[in-house]
Amino acid sequence: LNRSNTPSKPRNEFARIQDALLRRELNQAEIMLRAMPASPLHPETEFLWGVLSAFRNQIGKSVEHLRRTLQLNHRHTDAAV
């Protein structure tokens, strides 16, 4: 949440991307991920790229993204699974 107690844009975008992935709308999820503002490697962005790669059977890429997620946030339990 930001100071006005409303969700921040990235958090809303992460939720939209997760929803697209759950619906297996992989192309839409990729478009939204590519549109995310450039930031110094956000763990949630890396995690979502890892999930997208796994759904596309790109296991090597998925593992790379999930490892990067854990490097950025070692407590990211979903990436550790």
Side-chain angles (χ1 to χ4, degrees):
L1 295 176
N2 60 25
R3 289 187 179 150
S4 65
N5 292 329
T6 58
S8 62
K9 184 178 178 182
R11 200 169 290 269
N12 285 338
E13 289 300 309
F14 292 144
R16 290 180 59 223
I17 295 166
Q18 286 178 327
D19 288 344
L21 289 169
L22 288 171
R23 292 188 308 272
R24 300 301 194 265
E25 295 172 357
L26 305 183
N27 291 334
Q28 183 63 31
E30 181 176 358
I31 289 167
M32 290 187 285
L33 273 167
R34 290 188 184 283
M36 291 295 291
S39 66
L41 297 174
H42 192 286
E44 193 65 21
T45 303
E46 286 295 325
F47 174 72
L48 293 171
W49 276 112
V51 172
L52 176 63
S53 297
F55 282 151
R56 289 184 168 164
N57 292 319
Q58 300 169 330
I59 303 307
K61 283 177 75 173
S62 178
V63 169
E64 287 176 32
H65 286 293
L66 296 176
R67 281 187 181 150
R68 228 174 287 141
T69 301
L70 290 172
Q71 288 171 348
L72 295 168
N73 178 359
H74 67 279
R75 291 189 174 130
H76 197 293
T77 56
D78 290 337
V81 174

